């Protein structure tokens, strides 16, 4: 069976005939206590994203990453040499059926331990270990055929593709690369393919080593089981089972593929040595043949999942007599005296360009302003600068940041010194974080990412636009409205939010009741001592609503605080005979803590 690698929105991962056969197999054999139906039409699954799942917090598990779409053989495994009712038990005689029924010993033990643990802590869920095995098969080929150590940790990391929004979900880094080795974007990790943010919620320590490790099959299997049981699910019920699997990966084709392996494993399986399990794209264990792309999806093969993995079967140690499993024995020796045919040495692969940061600083700015720093990178090949190399710059994130001209991506060529600088970044109006990712356009791309931040608009200075005194007689409105202008680094500061509050004190300097002294009026005429929701105009100016005086006389203060820490303090006078409107008000001062 050739290896296929499915992903969201991809059609044709299973053809009509194969999908129909899988559905028929599901209908033909039901394990006691587990009943379900396969959703979708009768002509085969379509790998389209569905919102019918009700996933718990921190989901989906895989970030809708790609998965293997190999289906089990149509012929079920036939157990032999086992007592009645014990077909498929680990440690029994291997069945005479297909090799795909074999599950590596440590991986199988992890699934069964997870089932037992959950049966004690959540008996209402009834998660079967065969369901965990089905998901493990689809997500990682049973940890790449059981390439784990004695503690259940994979011999090399299993990582899905970069979730940068190019063909997959866009998930900026959440773990600083701690699990997936990527500080720019997240990647699904481990034999059960958890993305770091979901692992942070559901991670388990099932093997008691004091660590919650997504690359450990015991930890990952228990985490997957608890995740499937969330929302008080009973996995013997068809609807709960279906929602649990769709919560893992929101794809109908994914659901059908997992259910196919679930039914296959329920009909019988057996334990095989670690490292000897069948991987996707290999018809028999240790065949040594890569996926040849001859399957039903038009000839795709499993791409690399990182960590040096190529998606191909693993080369195993030599067997008895030095013979390599799955290898074709050498042909007969050349007849004596006959010269050997000339051999052509394999061509040396062309060196790949490597991308590096060329001194880019912090990418920060307030909303609505340009970012003064420019993203600059350098390309080297075998340590030497590479001129003319194409580099693609892309912006992702929740802000409205774009390159000059409104573009979110641009491709440029390096100069003679190997450097290339991206266009000016325009911050936009939305605050938050963004990422600029630079990637070489080459068969072996190299990438480097830069994280940026857009902050709220702020001011570092605010002054009154006039010097008219602010006076009022008791029970009247103040003669003038307060008008100010805000700036930031000597340029106008538009869109800066502000709060105005009246500070009321008596003649002895002690505070007076809040219901006394100058005040603003709300829309319904109610008294307001504090007024928020104020914003400077495009020219940085702000005119406050009208102020009113009650019957309390004296000198009061109004404080106007703007984002950025600047505060303007203005004197207010309420007197029976207020001063003329033309006298100055020297007590208006601005401070910046």
């Amino acid at each position: 069976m050739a290896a296929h690698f499915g992903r969201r929105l991809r059609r044709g991962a299973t053809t009509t005939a194969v999908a129909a056969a899988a559905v028929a197999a599901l209908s033909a054999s039901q394990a006691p206590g587990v009943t379900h139906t396969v959703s979708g039409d009768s002509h085969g699954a379509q790998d389209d994203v569905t919102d019918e799942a009700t996933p718990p917090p921190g989901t989906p598990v895989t970030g809708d990453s790609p998965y293997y779409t190999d289906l089990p053989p149509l012929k079920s495994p036939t157990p032999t040499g086992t007592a009645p009712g014990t077909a498929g038990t680990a440690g029994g005689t291997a069945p005479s059926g297909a090799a795909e029924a074999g599950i590596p010993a440590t991986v199988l033990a992890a699934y069964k331990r997870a089932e037992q643990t959950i049966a004690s802590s959540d008996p209402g869920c009834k998660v079967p270990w065969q369901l965990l095995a089905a998901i493990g098969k689809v997500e990682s080929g049973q940890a790449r055929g059981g390439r784990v150590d004695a503690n259940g940790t994979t011999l090399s990391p299993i990582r899905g593709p970069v979730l940068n929004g190019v063909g997959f979900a866009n998930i900026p880094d959440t773990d600083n690369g701690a699990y997936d080795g990527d500080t720019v974007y997240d990647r699904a990790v481990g034999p059960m393919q958890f993305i770091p943010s979901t692992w942070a919620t559901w991670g388990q320590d099932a093997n008691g080593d004091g660590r919650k490790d997504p690359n450990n099959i015991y930890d990952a299997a228990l985490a997957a089981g608890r995740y499937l049981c969330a929302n008080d699910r009973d996995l013997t019920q068809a609807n709960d089972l279906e929602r649990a699997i769709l919560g893992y990966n929101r794809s109908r084709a994914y659901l059908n593929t997992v259910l196919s392996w679930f039914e296959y494993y329920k009909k019988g399986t057996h334990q095989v040595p670690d490292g000897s399990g069948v991987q996707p794209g290999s018809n028999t264990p240790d065949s040594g043949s890569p996926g040849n792309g001859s399957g039903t999806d038009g000839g795709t093969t499993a791409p690399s999942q990182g960590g040096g993995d190529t998606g191909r079967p693993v080369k195993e140690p030599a067997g008895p007599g030095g013979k390599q499993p799955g290898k074709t024995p050498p042909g007969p020796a050349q007849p004596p005296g006959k010269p050997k045919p000339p051999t052509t040495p394999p061509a040396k692969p062309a060196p790949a360009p490597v991308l590096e940061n060329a001194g880019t600083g912090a990418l920060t700015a307030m909303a609505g302003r340009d970012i003064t720093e420019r993203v600059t990178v350098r390309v080297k090949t075998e340590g030497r600068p590479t001129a003319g190399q194409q580099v693609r710059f892309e912006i992702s994130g929740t802000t409205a940041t774009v390159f000059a001209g409104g573009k979110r991506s641009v491709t440029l060529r390096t100069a003679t010194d190997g450097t290339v600088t991206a266009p000016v970044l325009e911050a936009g109006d939305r605050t938050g974080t963004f990422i600029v990712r630079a990637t070489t356009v080459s068969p072996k791309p190299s990438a480097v990412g830069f994280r940026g931040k857009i902050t709220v608009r702020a001011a570092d200075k605010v002054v009154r636009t006039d010097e008219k005194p602010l006076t009022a007689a008791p029970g009247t409105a103040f003669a003038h409205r307060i008008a100010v202008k805000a700036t930031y680094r000597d340029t106008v500061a538009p869109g800066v939010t502000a709060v105005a509050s009246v500070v009321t004190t008596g003649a002895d300097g002690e505070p007076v009741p809040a219901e006394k002294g100058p005040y603003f009026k709300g829309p319904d005429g109610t008294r307001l001592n504090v007024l928020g929701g104020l914003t400077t105009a495009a020219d940085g100016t702000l005119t406050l609503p009208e102020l009113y005086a009650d019957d309390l006389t004296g000198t009061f203060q109004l404080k106007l605080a703007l984002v950025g820490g600047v505060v303007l303090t203005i004197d207010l006078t309420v007197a029976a005979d207020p001063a003329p409107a033309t006298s100055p008000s020297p007590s208006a001062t601005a401070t910046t803590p």
Side-chain angles (χ1 to χ4, degrees):
M1 182 181 301
H4 308 296
F5 216 57
R7 63 178 176 86
R8 57 184 298 185
L9 299 178
R10 177 171 176 178
R11 299 174 181 268
T14 51
T15 61
T16 299
V18 176
V23 174
L26 293 176
S27 303
S29 174
Q30 299 288 333
V34 180
T35 59
H36 58 263
T37 58
V38 179
S39 299
D41 60 44
S42 60
H43 301 293
Q46 291 182 341
D47 192 5
D48 41 326
V49 174
T50 176
D51 291 327
E52 295 178 31
T54 54
T59 57
V61 168
T62 66
D64 292 330
S65 290
Y67 56 89
Y68 288 108
T69 61
D70 283 15
L71 292 174
L74 295 179
K75 183 178 180 181
S76 301
T78 305
T80 59
T82 55
T86 62
T89 57
T93 304
S96 60
E100 283 87 347
I103 299 178
T106 300
V107 178
L108 181 61
Y111 297 147
K112 292 190 173 184
R113 180 186 294 184
E115 179 191 60
Q116 294 169 358
T117 300
I118 296 172
S120 299
S121 62
D122 188 4
C125 175
K126 307 180 187 68
V127 60
W129 67 261
Q130 292 93 337
L131 177 59
L132 299 175
I135 291 175
K137 178 71 173 182
V138 172
E139 293 295 345
S140 68
Q142 308 297 19
R144 297 190 186 127
R147 294 185 63 209
V148 296
D149 61 19
N151 294 320
T153 301
T154 57
L155 299 181
S156 60
I158 300 177
R159 296 168 180 161
V162 176
L163 298 176
N164 59 2
V166 182
F168 311 114
N170 187 341
I171 306 179
D173 173 61
T174 60
D175 66 331
N176 199 29
Y179 293 121
D180 55 16
D182 194 322
T183 59
V184 179
Y185 293 98
D186 271 351
R187 303 170 69 176
V189 179
M192 304 303 276
Q193 288 290 276
F194 278 84
I195 57 174
S197 59
T198 308
W199 184 256
T201 301
W202 293 94
Q204 304 288 315
D205 176 19
N207 63 350
D209 64 355
R211 298 177 60 227
K212 296 179 180 179
D213 184 2
N215 286 298
N216 182 277
I217 185 59
Y218 287 100
D219 294 357
L222 182 58
R226 293 200 187 284
Y227 174 87
L228 294 169
C229 290
N231 295 330
D232 296 323
R233 293 188 181 115
D234 176 357
L235 298 184
T236 63
Q237 301 301 311
N239 288 340
D240 279 359
L241 176 64
E242 187 169 302
R243 290 191 184 99
I245 298 172
L246 287 174
Y248 212 95
N249 190 312
R250 296 169 297 189
S251 159
R252 282 283 166 186
Y254 179 87
L255 169 69
N256 291 342
T257 304
V258 169
L259 290 179
S260 297
W261 282 105
F262 180 33
E263 291 298 324
Y264 182 76
Y265 286 141
K266 285 195 299 182
K267 293 173 183 175
T269 186
H270 60 283
Q271 174 179 297
V272 298
D274 289 345
S276 64
V278 175
Q279 297 187 68
S282 173
N283 291 321
T284 58
D286 309 318
S287 69
S289 59
N292 57 16
S294 60
T296 60
D297 70 344
T300 59
T301 58
S304 170
Q305 292 193 11
D309 182 34
T310 62
R312 296 184 173 87
V314 181
K315 182 178 180 182
E316 295 295 328
K323 189 174 181 180
Q324 187 77 18
K327 292 286 185 178
T328 303
Q334 294 286 340
K338 185 176 180 180
K340 294 181 179 180
T343 58
T344 302
K348 183 179 179 180
V354 176
L355 197 63
E356 66 181 20
N357 181 7
T360 305
L363 303 177
T364 60
M366 289 193 307
R369 293 178 177 267
D370 290 343
I371 298 172
T372 56
E373 187 68 22
R374 302 273 295 275
V375 175
T376 303
V377 296
R378 179 181 292 105
V379 179
K380 291 182 178 180
T381 304
E382 295 186 321
R384 294 188 297 272
T386 304
Q389 170 66 52
Q390 284 189 313
V391 176
R392 181 177 177 82
F393 297 92
E394 296 177 286
I395 301 173
S396 62
T398 59
T399 71
T401 305
V402 293
F403 292 118
K407 297 180 179 179
R408 298 276 288 184
S409 64
V410 63
T411 301
L412 304 170
R413 289 186 181 273
T414 57
T416 55
D417 63 352
T419 65
V420 58
T421 300
V424 170
L425 288 165
E426 299 174 349
D429 292 326
R430 292 200 297 271
T431 60
T433 59
F434 66 93
I435 293 172
V436 178
R437 189 176 182 88
T439 308
T440 56
V441 181
S442 62
K444 296 181 179 180
S446 176
V448 62
F450 305 88
R451 189 180 298 276
K453 185 177 183 180
I454 306 302
T455 60
V456 296
R457 299 170 185 261
D460 58 12
K461 184 178 180 181
V462 59
V463 297
R464 288 189 63 190
T465 58
D466 61 59
E467 295 183 352
K468 296 176 182 178
L470 294 165
T471 60
T476 65
F478 278 79
H480 302 286
R481 293 172 65 179
I482 298 173
V484 300
K485 184 172 184 178
T487 56
Y488 181 80
R489 296 181 181 177
D490 298 326
T491 61
V492 295
V496 180
T497 58
V499 175
S501 56
V502 178
V503 180
T504 56
T505 57
D508 56 359
E510 293 298 320
V512 299
E515 67 273 8
K516 301 297 288 183
Y519 62 94
F520 297 102
K521 287 185 179 181
D524 57 355
T526 56
R527 177 191 183 96
L528 296 176
N529 282 21
V530 178
L531 187 63
L534 305 171
T535 306
T536 60
D539 60 356
T541 61
L542 170 63
T543 301
L544 273 60
E546 200 165 30
L547 265 170
Y548 297 88
D550 57 15
D551 57 359
L552 184 64
T553 61
T555 300
F556 308 93
Q557 289 183 329
L558 181 140
K559 292 185 180 293
L560 183 65
L562 281 71
V563 172
V566 63
V567 178
L568 179 65
T569 301
I570 304 171
D571 283 349
L572 306 174
T573 301
V574 179
D577 185 16
T582 56
S583 60
S585 178
S587 57
T589 58
T591 60
T592 303

